[in-house]
Amino acid sequence: DLEAKDFDESVENAKENIIKEAGGGATPDEIKELNRALVKAKRDADKNNETIAELTEQLGNEKTLRLNGVKRDAIHKALLSNNIIEPEQSIDLFFNRVAVDEDGSTVTMKGSDGSELSVNDAIADWAKEHPKYVERQVKGGAGSGGKGASSGGAAGAANGEIGANANSFSPIGASG
């Protein structure tokens, strides 16, 4: 038994020496398993990198859409406040001239002199230069806000449309 034990130990020592000389303490089966794990890890890393690239592209697209929406809203508000004719159709006229910062909080536009202006100020300047695109705000003068003479009411009363029996008014269908 002692000889068998010594023989087993010497075989085990020889095996360990061969493995160490071959490049490490791993058996061929362990090396195969490590290679499989390495290939799987590389495949997973490639898949994750592809997912990251797709998500980064999607994030960029969403950011562009959001910033374009901020630009369109700022232009639309400025067109409305400056009484520009057909504001929805006029947005594209100014869209490429508007700059917005990364977070969408500052929206500016280059004025005709090249200076940075708020979108509202730049469109107001443009409206002064192009008055034919500004909707005229017609406001009635004195007396035009009321109803016409033939419509009854206070204007009709002033014209004598209420008859002599004005004090004996009775609603339609009332008896008495």
mmCIF file of all heavy atoms in Angstrom, residues 135-172:
data_model
loop_
_atom_site.group_PDB
_atom_site.id
_atom_site.type_symbol
_atom_site.label_atom_id
_atom_site.label_comp_id
_atom_site.label_asym_id
_atom_site.label_seq_id
_atom_site.Cartn_x
_atom_site.Cartn_y
_atom_site.Cartn_z
ATOM 1 N N GLU A 135 -50.526 91.236 -39.881
ATOM 2 C CA GLU A 135 -51.981 91.370 -39.894
ATOM 3 C C GLU A 135 -52.350 92.694 -39.253
ATOM 4 O O GLU A 135 -51.906 93.021 -38.161
ATOM 5 C CB GLU A 135 -52.595 90.213 -39.104
ATOM 6 C CG GLU A 135 -54.085 90.153 -39.151
ATOM 7 C CD GLU A 135 -54.604 88.930 -38.407
ATOM 8 O OE1 GLU A 135 -53.943 87.872 -38.454
ATOM 9 O OE2 GLU A 135 -55.655 89.054 -37.773
ATOM 10 N N ARG A 136 -53.165 93.444 -39.952
ATOM 11 C CA ARG A 136 -53.590 94.734 -39.409
ATOM 12 C C ARG A 136 -54.604 94.496 -38.303
ATOM 13 O O ARG A 136 -55.555 93.765 -38.466
ATOM 14 C CB ARG A 136 -54.213 95.591 -40.498
ATOM 15 C CG ARG A 136 -53.240 95.867 -41.628
ATOM 16 C CD ARG A 136 -53.703 97.040 -42.457
ATOM 17 N NE ARG A 136 -53.026 97.192 -43.728
ATOM 18 C CZ ARG A 136 -51.725 97.338 -43.915
ATOM 19 N NH1 ARG A 136 -50.923 97.318 -42.900
ATOM 20 N NH2 ARG A 136 -51.216 97.495 -45.107
ATOM 21 N N GLN A 137 -54.362 95.118 -37.190
ATOM 22 C CA GLN A 137 -55.263 95.009 -36.051
ATOM 23 C C GLN A 137 -56.246 96.168 -36.115
ATOM 24 O O GLN A 137 -55.939 97.270 -35.689
ATOM 25 C CB GLN A 137 -54.474 95.028 -34.739
ATOM 26 C CG GLN A 137 -53.534 93.857 -34.576
ATOM 27 C CD GLN A 137 -54.281 92.547 -34.493
ATOM 28 O OE1 GLN A 137 -55.243 92.424 -33.736
ATOM 29 N NE2 GLN A 137 -53.880 91.577 -35.288
ATOM 30 N N VAL A 138 -57.423 95.938 -36.693
ATOM 31 C CA VAL A 138 -58.438 96.979 -36.838
ATOM 32 C C VAL A 138 -59.299 96.957 -35.590
ATOM 33 O O VAL A 138 -59.886 95.944 -35.238
ATOM 34 C CB VAL A 138 -59.306 96.737 -38.099
ATOM 35 C CG1 VAL A 138 -60.372 97.790 -38.207
ATOM 36 C CG2 VAL A 138 -58.432 96.693 -39.322
ATOM 37 N N LYS A 139 -59.325 98.091 -34.935
ATOM 38 C CA LYS A 139 -60.163 98.226 -33.746
ATOM 39 C C LYS A 139 -61.182 99.302 -34.044
ATOM 40 O O LYS A 139 -60.852 100.355 -34.577
ATOM 41 C CB LYS A 139 -59.320 98.602 -32.531
ATOM 42 C CG LYS A 139 -58.338 97.514 -32.156
ATOM 43 C CD LYS A 139 -57.576 97.842 -30.909
ATOM 44 C CE LYS A 139 -56.621 96.698 -30.603
ATOM 45 N NZ LYS A 139 -55.830 96.964 -29.437
ATOM 46 N N GLY A 140 -62.411 99.006 -33.711
ATOM 47 C CA GLY A 140 -63.479 99.959 -33.983
ATOM 48 C C GLY A 140 -63.341 101.200 -33.128
ATOM 49 O O GLY A 140 -62.777 101.191 -32.038
ATOM 50 N N GLY A 141 -63.856 102.303 -33.661
ATOM 51 C CA GLY A 141 -63.830 103.558 -32.919
ATOM 52 C C GLY A 141 -64.976 103.625 -31.927
ATOM 53 O O GLY A 141 -65.642 102.638 -31.628
ATOM 54 N N ALA A 142 -65.241 104.799 -31.444
ATOM 55 C CA ALA A 142 -66.303 105.002 -30.462
ATOM 56 C C ALA A 142 -67.642 104.621 -31.079
ATOM 57 O O ALA A 142 -67.973 105.005 -32.188
ATOM 58 C CB ALA A 142 -66.327 106.451 -30.004
ATOM 59 N N GLY A 143 -68.427 103.856 -30.362
ATOM 60 C CA GLY A 143 -69.761 103.489 -30.816
ATOM 61 C C GLY A 143 -69.798 102.254 -31.678
ATOM 62 O O GLY A 143 -70.855 101.711 -31.921
ATOM 63 N N SER A 144 -68.656 101.769 -32.167
ATOM 64 C CA SER A 144 -68.694 100.601 -33.039
ATOM 65 C C SER A 144 -68.759 99.306 -32.244
ATOM 66 O O SER A 144 -69.041 98.264 -32.801
ATOM 67 C CB SER A 144 -67.468 100.573 -33.950
ATOM 68 O OG SER A 144 -66.302 100.388 -33.185
ATOM 69 N N GLY A 145 -68.538 99.374 -30.953
ATOM 70 C CA GLY A 145 -68.557 98.167 -30.151
ATOM 71 C C GLY A 145 -69.957 97.730 -29.784
ATOM 72 O O GLY A 145 -70.186 96.590 -29.428
ATOM 73 N N GLY A 146 -70.927 98.609 -29.895
ATOM 74 C CA GLY A 146 -72.305 98.272 -29.514
ATOM 75 C C GLY A 146 -73.048 97.609 -30.641
ATOM 76 O O GLY A 146 -72.522 97.337 -31.706
ATOM 77 N N LYS A 147 -74.334 97.349 -30.413
ATOM 78 C CA LYS A 147 -75.164 96.709 -31.436
ATOM 79 C C LYS A 147 -75.718 97.776 -32.363
ATOM 80 O O LYS A 147 -75.844 98.930 -32.006
ATOM 81 C CB LYS A 147 -76.316 95.960 -30.767
ATOM 82 C CG LYS A 147 -75.830 94.830 -29.881
ATOM 83 C CD LYS A 147 -76.976 94.091 -29.261
ATOM 84 C CE LYS A 147 -76.461 92.946 -28.396
ATOM 85 N NZ LYS A 147 -77.537 92.214 -27.807
ATOM 86 N N GLY A 148 -76.070 97.367 -33.540
ATOM 87 C CA GLY A 148 -76.629 98.296 -34.522
ATOM 88 C C GLY A 148 -77.993 98.797 -34.112
ATOM 89 O O GLY A 148 -78.657 98.257 -33.228
ATOM 90 N N ALA A 149 -78.510 99.832 -34.777
ATOM 91 C CA ALA A 149 -79.767 100.473 -34.416
ATOM 92 C C ALA A 149 -80.953 99.553 -34.603
ATOM 93 O O ALA A 149 -81.942 99.669 -33.903
ATOM 94 C CB ALA A 149 -79.953 101.750 -35.236
ATOM 95 N N SER A 150 -80.884 98.622 -35.522
ATOM 96 C CA SER A 150 -82.033 97.767 -35.778
ATOM 97 C C SER A 150 -82.057 96.539 -34.896
ATOM 98 O O SER A 150 -82.952 95.722 -35.005
ATOM 99 C CB SER A 150 -82.036 97.330 -37.243
ATOM 100 O OG SER A 150 -80.885 96.541 -37.486
ATOM 101 N N SER A 151 -81.088 96.396 -34.012
ATOM 102 C CA SER A 151 -81.017 95.178 -33.216
ATOM 103 C C SER A 151 -81.793 95.271 -31.915
ATOM 104 O O SER A 151 -81.837 94.318 -31.166
ATOM 105 C CB SER A 151 -79.553 94.835 -32.925
ATOM 106 O OG SER A 151 -78.977 95.841 -32.111
ATOM 107 N N GLY A 152 -82.367 96.361 -31.623
ATOM 108 C CA GLY A 152 -83.141 96.481 -30.382
ATOM 109 C C GLY A 152 -82.228 96.818 -29.237
ATOM 110 O O GLY A 152 -81.162 97.365 -29.421
ATOM 111 N N GLY A 153 -82.610 96.475 -28.050
ATOM 112 C CA GLY A 153 -81.798 96.732 -26.876
ATOM 113 C C GLY A 153 -81.709 98.209 -26.593
ATOM 114 O O GLY A 153 -82.579 98.998 -26.949
ATOM 115 N N ALA A 154 -80.634 98.613 -25.957
ATOM 116 C CA ALA A 154 -80.476 100.007 -25.561
ATOM 117 C C ALA A 154 -80.406 100.918 -26.777
ATOM 118 O O ALA A 154 -80.948 102.015 -26.788
ATOM 119 C CB ALA A 154 -79.233 100.176 -24.707
ATOM 120 N N ALA A 155 -79.744 100.461 -27.846
ATOM 121 C CA ALA A 155 -79.655 101.295 -29.045
ATOM 122 C C ALA A 155 -81.040 101.484 -29.648
ATOM 123 O O ALA A 155 -81.393 102.566 -30.111
ATOM 124 C CB ALA A 155 -78.724 100.661 -30.065
ATOM 125 N N GLY A 156 -81.848 100.443 -29.646
ATOM 126 C CA GLY A 156 -83.211 100.551 -30.176
ATOM 127 C C GLY A 156 -84.051 101.467 -29.320
ATOM 128 O O GLY A 156 -84.886 102.228 -29.828
ATOM 129 N N ALA A 157 -83.873 101.439 -28.026
ATOM 130 C CA ALA A 157 -84.647 102.299 -27.133
ATOM 131 C C ALA A 157 -84.312 103.756 -27.389
ATOM 132 O O ALA A 157 -85.177 104.622 -27.324
ATOM 133 C CB ALA A 157 -84.361 101.943 -25.673
ATOM 134 N N ALA A 158 -83.045 104.013 -27.710
ATOM 135 C CA ALA A 158 -82.654 105.393 -27.976
ATOM 136 C C ALA A 158 -83.289 105.890 -29.272
ATOM 137 O O ALA A 158 -83.518 107.078 -29.438
ATOM 138 C CB ALA A 158 -81.142 105.499 -28.066
ATOM 139 N N ASN A 159 -83.591 105.000 -30.179
ATOM 140 C CA ASN A 159 -84.191 105.393 -31.450
ATOM 141 C C ASN A 159 -85.713 105.390 -31.391
ATOM 142 O O ASN A 159 -86.361 105.538 -32.422
ATOM 143 C CB ASN A 159 -83.735 104.453 -32.576
ATOM 144 C CG ASN A 159 -82.270 104.651 -32.893
ATOM 145 O OD1 ASN A 159 -81.763 105.758 -32.758
ATOM 146 N ND2 ASN A 159 -81.600 103.592 -33.299
ATOM 147 N N GLY A 160 -86.314 105.178 -30.243
ATOM 148 C CA GLY A 160 -87.763 105.245 -30.095
ATOM 149 C C GLY A 160 -88.490 104.005 -30.563
ATOM 150 O O GLY A 160 -89.653 104.083 -30.932
ATOM 151 N N GLU A 161 -87.824 102.851 -30.587
ATOM 152 C CA GLU A 161 -88.475 101.645 -31.056
ATOM 153 C C GLU A 161 -89.417 101.059 -30.020
ATOM 154 O O GLU A 161 -90.235 100.213 -30.345
ATOM 155 C CB GLU A 161 -87.429 100.588 -31.434
ATOM 156 C CG GLU A 161 -86.703 100.936 -32.727
ATOM 157 C CD GLU A 161 -85.741 99.850 -33.154
ATOM 158 O OE1 GLU A 161 -85.748 98.755 -32.576
ATOM 159 O OE2 GLU A 161 -84.986 100.113 -34.077
ATOM 160 N N ILE A 162 -89.278 101.446 -28.794
ATOM 161 C CA ILE A 162 -90.193 100.938 -27.780
ATOM 162 C C ILE A 162 -91.450 101.802 -27.838
ATOM 163 O O ILE A 162 -91.391 103.017 -27.822
ATOM 164 C CB ILE A 162 -89.557 100.981 -26.375
ATOM 165 C CG1 ILE A 162 -88.325 100.073 -26.362
ATOM 166 C CG2 ILE A 162 -90.565 100.566 -25.326
ATOM 167 C CD1 ILE A 162 -87.609 100.038 -25.072
ATOM 168 N N GLY A 163 -92.573 101.142 -27.931
ATOM 169 C CA GLY A 163 -93.841 101.856 -28.122
ATOM 170 C C GLY A 163 -94.323 102.569 -26.876
ATOM 171 O O GLY A 163 -93.665 102.596 -25.844
ATOM 172 N N ALA A 164 -95.523 103.126 -26.985
ATOM 173 C CA ALA A 164 -96.125 103.885 -25.897
ATOM 174 C C ALA A 164 -96.449 103.006 -24.720
ATOM 175 O O ALA A 164 -96.534 103.481 -23.589
ATOM 176 C CB ALA A 164 -97.400 104.569 -26.399
ATOM 177 N N ASN A 165 -96.619 101.717 -24.954
ATOM 178 C CA ASN A 165 -96.966 100.808 -23.869
ATOM 179 C C ASN A 165 -95.724 100.171 -23.247
ATOM 180 O O ASN A 165 -95.748 99.051 -22.783
ATOM 181 C CB ASN A 165 -97.896 99.690 -24.372
ATOM 182 C CG ASN A 165 -99.221 100.235 -24.823
ATOM 183 O OD1 ASN A 165 -99.697 101.237 -24.249
ATOM 184 N ND2 ASN A 165 -99.830 99.606 -25.818
ATOM 185 N N ALA A 166 -94.632 100.871 -23.224
ATOM 186 C CA ALA A 166 -93.355 100.319 -22.727
ATOM 187 C C ALA A 166 -93.485 99.925 -21.277
ATOM 188 O O ALA A 166 -92.855 98.990 -20.844
ATOM 189 C CB ALA A 166 -92.261 101.354 -22.882
ATOM 190 N N ASN A 167 -94.323 100.617 -20.524
ATOM 191 C CA ASN A 167 -94.436 100.291 -19.096
ATOM 192 C C ASN A 167 -95.337 99.095 -18.866
ATOM 193 O O ASN A 167 -95.356 98.553 -17.768
ATOM 194 C CB ASN A 167 -94.956 101.494 -18.316
ATOM 195 C CG ASN A 167 -93.905 102.605 -18.283
ATOM 196 O OD1 ASN A 167 -92.725 102.324 -18.350
ATOM 197 N ND2 ASN A 167 -94.372 103.854 -18.197
ATOM 198 N N SER A 168 -96.121 98.669 -19.838
ATOM 199 C CA SER A 168 -97.022 97.559 -19.640
ATOM 200 C C SER A 168 -96.489 96.303 -20.328
ATOM 201 O O SER A 168 -97.249 95.549 -20.920
ATOM 202 C CB SER A 168 -98.416 97.915 -20.190
ATOM 203 O OG SER A 168 -98.323 98.110 -21.595
ATOM 204 N N PHE A 169 -95.195 96.086 -20.258
ATOM 205 C CA PHE A 169 -94.570 94.945 -20.899
ATOM 206 C C PHE A 169 -95.011 93.646 -20.234
ATOM 207 O O PHE A 169 -95.056 93.538 -19.029
ATOM 208 C CB PHE A 169 -93.032 95.071 -20.791
ATOM 209 C CG PHE A 169 -92.297 93.854 -21.287
ATOM 210 C CD1 PHE A 169 -92.164 93.618 -22.641
ATOM 211 C CD2 PHE A 169 -91.779 92.953 -20.385
ATOM 212 C CE1 PHE A 169 -91.496 92.503 -23.072
ATOM 213 C CE2 PHE A 169 -91.112 91.821 -20.839
ATOM 214 C CZ PHE A 169 -90.968 91.600 -22.181
ATOM 215 N N SER A 170 -95.332 92.653 -21.054
ATOM 216 C CA SER A 170 -95.652 91.343 -20.513
ATOM 217 C C SER A 170 -94.988 90.302 -21.403
ATOM 218 O O SER A 170 -94.984 90.431 -22.619
ATOM 219 C CB SER A 170 -97.160 91.111 -20.459
ATOM 220 O OG SER A 170 -97.711 91.119 -21.755
ATOM 221 N N PRO A 171 -94.400 89.294 -20.797
ATOM 222 C CA PRO A 171 -93.729 88.272 -21.578
ATOM 223 C C PRO A 171 -94.722 87.535 -22.499
ATOM 224 O O PRO A 171 -95.906 87.498 -22.217
ATOM 225 C CB PRO A 171 -93.158 87.325 -20.552
ATOM 226 C CG PRO A 171 -93.426 87.883 -19.219
ATOM 227 C CD PRO A 171 -94.331 89.063 -19.404
ATOM 228 N N ILE A 172 -94.210 86.972 -23.547
ATOM 229 C CA ILE A 172 -95.045 86.246 -24.486
ATOM 230 C C ILE A 172 -95.693 85.074 -23.773
ATOM 231 O O ILE A 172 -95.039 84.339 -23.050
ATOM 232 C CB ILE A 172 -94.211 85.753 -25.686
ATOM 233 C CG1 ILE A 172 -93.640 86.943 -26.428
ATOM 234 C CG2 ILE A 172 -95.030 84.869 -26.611
ATOM 235 C CD1 ILE A 172 -92.718 86.585 -27.564
#
